[in-house]
Amino acid sequence: MVGVGAGFFYSLYIIFGKVVSQKYHALTITFYSMLLGALFLLPTSSLWVKKELFLESQVLIYGIGLAFFVTVLAYIVYTIGLKYVESSKAAILSTIEPVVAISVDFWHYPNIFFCYLNYTKIVF
């Protein structure tokens, strides 16, 4: 059920992002998107249960790196791209992207890929 909700909000981001990107800068759109996401995530994530982990430097470095490169930077580039591409094409490309990533992983690192399949007990 979480995937359905996430897909719904992602669809809204695509539709409204296209309209809003014509008027506002990509950094402004991304800032408010991340702010609203964080405000929703904080009360529902139970981060305070593991608060001692956030005092470790390695956790902070990895967390900040993942937050910036995987989330914020990706949304900035995606929002900039929405200015120049139709929303429908952007939605199709963003849906195909995980399939391409898994395919590249499968062909480039086959041993690691099958190791993860055995670990997660996925059977084809």
Side-chain angles (χ1 to χ4, degrees):
M1 197 64 176
V2 173
V4 173
F8 173 73
F9 287 116
Y10 183 69
S11 299
L12 286 177
Y13 186 85
I14 292 171
I15 294 167
F16 291 126
K18 177 72 175 172
V19 175
V20 175
S21 68
Q22 303 300 328
K23 187 174 181 181
Y24 296 104
H25 194 271
L27 291 175
T28 305
I29 299 167
T30 304
F31 173 77
Y32 284 111
S33 298
M34 296 298 143
L35 180 65
L36 289 173
L39 289 175
F40 176 76
L41 182 68
L42 285 175
T44 60
S45 66
S46 302
L47 285 175
W48 54 88
V49 174
K50 300 282 185 176
K51 61 185 172 201
E52 64 275 355
L53 287 176
F54 292 103
L55 299 175
E56 295 181 26
S57 62
Q58 191 173 9
V59 172
L60 284 175
I61 291 170
Y62 288 151
I64 291 169
L66 281 171
F68 180 72
F69 291 109
V70 177
T71 307
V72 175
L73 191 61
Y75 267 92
I76 290 171
V77 172
Y78 187 77
T79 306
I80 291 170
L82 278 176
K83 253 187 208 181
Y84 307 105
V85 178
E86 293 177 23
S87 297
S88 58
K89 289 181 182 178
I92 291 169
L93 288 174
S94 65
T95 304
I96 293 173
E97 184 249 338
V99 175
V100 172
I102 291 171
S103 301
V104 168
D105 181 48
F106 175 76
W107 293 109
H108 197 59
Y109 302 109
N111 295 333
I112 296 171
F113 184 79
F114 287 114
C115 176
Y116 284 122
L117 288 179
N118 289 333
Y119 177 72
T120 57
K121 307 276 191 267
I122 296 174
V123 178
F124 290 104

